[in-house]
Structure formats: C-alpha cells, structure tokens
Amino acid sequence: MKNIETLIKETITLLKSLIETPSFSTEEDQTAILIENWFTQNSIPFERENNNIWAYNKYFDKDKPTLLLNSHHDTVKPNQGYTNNPFEAKVEDSKLFGLGSNDAGGCLVSLIATFTHFYAEKNLPYNIVVVASAEEENSGKNGLNSVLKHLPELECAIVGEPTLMQLAVAEKGLLVLDVVVKGTASHAAHQNPDNPIYNAMPVIEWFKTYQFEKISEVLGPVKMTVTQINAGKQHNVVPAECHLVVDIRVNDCYNNTEILETVRANVNAELTPRSMHLNASSIPVSHGLVQAGIALGRTTYGSPTLSDQSVLYCKSLKLGPGESLRSHSADEFIYLHEIEEGIDLYIKILTDFFKN
C-alpha cells in the first residue's frame, strides 16, 4: 500500500492531467484514458462502457453489501469570463486553477485515491466499487445511470461533489416542464377573447404562488420557477400558442411523478416533462456514513444543486473537497490543501464506517 503522501502527490498529478484534457459532456474519451492509466499503473482491473470507468476492490465478496464511490470527469464549457487558459493546470497561491478542477475533478481524484488506498485490504465488511462517470453535467443517457445495471445491488453511496467536505444529507430533484398554453390565432385588430398569451397569465401566476404542503426539514419547500416564455412572430398576429418552460426543484417529501400529477390537476395547459428520473435523494442522519462524518466535526445540510445522486436508488451522501459556489465560474480553482483534506477525511470516514 502506498503511503498517503505519495498517494496525494500522484492524485494531484492526475488532476492536472484531467484539467489539461478537454472533457465536455459526451466528449470524455481522452480523460477516460487517463483514468484507465491510473488503474493500470496501480495494477487494478477495471471495466469501461462508453466513457464510464469502474473498478471493484480486490477481495470483492458477493455476500457482502456494496458501497459506491462516484464522481464525474465531464465538464461544462468554459465560462466566458475566464482570464486564465481553462485547460492549463496552473498553481498560484496554493490554488490549482483550471476547468473542472473544482467541479468535480478534485472530488473524483480524491475518491479514486481513497479507493486505491482500500483496494487490496482484506476482510472489509463492505465491497467497494468506484465509478468515474460521464455525462453528469448534461444528465446524459450514457452516464452513471447507464452503468447501474452492471453493478451489484448498492447498499449506500458517497457521491463526490464540492461541499467543503461538509455532509450534504439531502439533495433536491429536478423536474423541467415544457408547457403549452392554447388559444385562438387571429388578426390583432379583431376582438379575440382566447389570446393564449393572456391565457398564460393565470398559469404563470399559479406556478408563482402555489405552495406544496410538505416541507422538508433539510431541503425546505418545493420551488417552482417559470424561466422561459415564447409566443408570437409578428406584431399584428395573435398566436395560437404560448410556450413556457418551468424549472421545479423537488424536495425529498415528493417524487417527480407526484409533482407532475399535482401540476396537471391545477394547470390548464399541455405539459411535457423533459425527464422524470432526476428525483430528490437523501440519507438519514443516523446512517453510519453520516455519523462517521459528524464524529470528525463535519456538519450536515441540504443541497439545492443536482448531481448523479438523482439517478441512485440507494441511500447516498454528497461529500467532497472544493466549494459549490466555484462550480461553473470563471477561473475555476480548488485549493491543494482541500484535496489533501478530502483524501484524509474520506479515508477516516470509511475507516470508522467499516468498524461499525
């Protein structure tokens, strides 16, 4: 087993290589090769489908429960405000700059290092599978969701996203609706009591004011926001339709199907969900992973941002080095000490979890 200092050094080298290799969602083939090389160099067998790579601990036992470690190696495209080269892994003032350094490269390499640390350990009470997944940023069909069918039943998971190594015990789900409000097309000079733009006004007001009854202790209320509206092509024609897009952030008291049923019961419009699988997720504070983190001085909170947790069916904890507010920002960075702390805390949390 490598000592922690060597593991940290090699982990940071891997992260620098990932930063300098473009990996936009669906285009992660080259960073997948870098991750494969890590496993090869550490004599760890791995599997790959599309741009997802996964590996199991050496002494995998089908009779034991399985713990998933997951983070993603795809990135969004660079923010237009960048002043640095987004594909240059530059270190200044103990900050490692570069696209994907914070979201979620630091988390990914820290989890890979943690997996490597435990890989050859005998008599673990849990199996460990690590998945470096693709297409997280665009919720694509060939991401973590496509790998789950190949994995054994999962007991629980740690999903690596930047949380300042605090414990995100719940995460809001996402339901995006395309809404079409109907009306009657006509010349603007004529009386028309069925203008779809006017018909859309009470629909918009409903989304603005309706309150779902169940409020989560961790995530708060369900939040609905009309984010786009489009209707008409010229000034003197009343259109036949008004199109809206509604972003709904779902708490852990509801699933997306329940939310959609409520909207349909109250809104006079055609509703088309863009997807139904991005549900809210949570893990009890009493769970061993959470308790292990609390024992190390970590605090719990609910996360408003979406991650690969949304496709998991098991209890999952979002936890990782870096800060969410830096994600998708110009001149993205992660502190080097955050990676060191991330590896240290991941190992300590799992060590305590395995003991109990």
Side-chain angles (χ1 to χ4, degrees):
M1 182 186 296
K2 294 180 179 179
N3 63 50
I4 297 298
E5 290 75 18
T6 299
L7 196 57
I8 290 172
K9 182 178 178 180
E10 292 179 356
T11 298
I12 292 172
T13 298
L14 173 60
L15 178 53
K16 289 178 178 178
S17 297
L18 292 172
I19 290 169
E20 295 180 347
T21 307
S23 57
F24 305 135
S25 297
T26 74
E27 302 174 18
E28 313 95 340
D29 53 302
Q30 294 304 304
T31 47
I33 292 172
L34 295 174
I35 295 164
E36 289 180 337
N37 290 342
W38 171 282
F39 289 130
T40 300
Q41 291 162 8
N42 286 279
S43 302
I44 298 174
F46 62 87
E47 298 180 52
R48 175 173 175 176
E49 182 178 80
N50 297 311
N51 294 324
N52 303 287
I53 305 99
W54 66 96
Y56 298 95
N57 60 300
K58 186 173 183 178
Y59 298 103
F60 183 93
D61 182 346
K62 62 181 180 61
D63 294 324
K64 293 179 180 179
T66 299
L67 164 71
L68 168 68
L69 304 179
N70 162 252
S71 191
H72 62 95
H73 59 107
D74 64 316
T75 71
V76 296
K77 293 189 176 180
N79 184 301
Q80 291 184 347
Y82 262 86
T83 61
N84 298 323
N85 178 353
F87 302 110
E88 179 186 0
K90 179 174 67 173
V91 177
E92 287 184 359
D93 299 324
S94 299
K95 300 175 182 177
L96 174 56
F97 288 89
L99 182 65
S101 55
N102 182 79
D103 183 17
C107 301
L108 175 65
V109 298
S110 297
L111 282 172
I112 290 175
T114 301
F115 171 82
T116 303
H117 172 80
F118 285 105
Y119 168 71
E121 215 171 285
K122 296 181 179 179
N123 302 316
L124 289 173
Y126 280 74
N127 300 310
I128 307 175
V129 57
V130 63
V131 179
S133 54
E135 298 189 22
E136 189 271 350
E137 294 290 4
N138 69 341
S139 301
K141 65 179 181 179
N142 292 318
L144 176 62
N145 51 305
S146 69
V147 176
L148 295 177
K149 62 181 178 289
H150 300 301
L151 305 182
E153 182 177 355
L154 301 173
E155 177 74 19
C156 55
I158 294 177
V159 175
E161 290 285 340
T163 70
L164 289 173
M165 290 306 289
Q166 305 302 335
L167 309 163
V169 296
E171 173 187 277
K172 280 192 172 180
L174 173 63
L175 180 61
V176 179
L177 299 179
D178 288 301
V179 180
V180 180
V181 181
K182 299 287 189 175
T184 301
S186 72
H187 194 294
H190 300 152
Q191 290 296 324
N192 184 348
D194 193 30
N195 185 323
I197 298 174
Y198 297 156
N199 294 346
M201 293 171 67
V203 173
I204 294 171
E205 184 67 16
W206 184 85
F207 281 115
K208 177 183 177 182
T209 60
Y210 184 82
Q211 298 292 320
F212 283 86
E213 182 180 350
K214 299 176 185 176
I215 298 176
S216 168
E217 291 184 7
V218 180
L219 294 174
V222 173
K223 184 177 185 296
M224 299 192 293
T225 307
V226 177
T227 55
Q228 293 175 253
I229 182 168
N230 183 52
K233 293 184 178 178
Q234 60 190 69
H235 77 89
N236 58 350
V237 178
V238 175
E241 297 178 343
C242 181
H243 294 249
L244 312 173
V245 176
V246 183
D247 178 295
I248 305 177
R249 302 291 165 154
V250 184
N251 66 24
D252 54 334
C253 300
Y254 298 92
N255 59 47
N256 288 357
T257 299
E258 292 170 322
I259 298 296
L260 181 59
E261 288 174 350
T262 299
V263 176
R264 282 186 167 146
N266 286 275
V267 170
N268 183 22
E270 289 185 1
L271 304 172
T272 304
R274 294 186 179 179
S275 70
M276 293 296 293
H277 67 279
L278 302 176
N279 285 294
S281 55
S282 64
I283 188 170
V285 174
S286 59
H287 194 279
L289 284 173
V290 181
Q291 287 299 307
I294 290 173
L296 291 167
R298 306 289 95 185
T299 58
T300 62
Y301 74 103
S303 173
T305 57
L306 197 70
S307 75
D308 270 334
Q309 276 187 292
S310 62
V311 303
L312 293 174
Y313 55 82
C314 63
K315 301 297 182 185
S316 57
L317 172 67
K318 185 156 70 177
L319 173 69
E323 183 176 6
S324 182
L325 291 175
R326 298 181 212 143
S327 299
H328 305 180
S329 65
D331 297 335
E332 180 182 349
F333 70 89
I334 189 169
Y335 286 101
L336 294 176
H337 73 79
E338 289 177 328
I339 298 171
E340 296 175 15
E341 179 190 48
I343 295 170
D344 178 62
L345 285 172
Y346 278 144
I347 290 173
K348 286 178 177 176
I349 286 171
L350 289 184
T351 298
D352 185 67
F353 177 61
F354 292 150
K355 286 179 181 177
N356 297 312

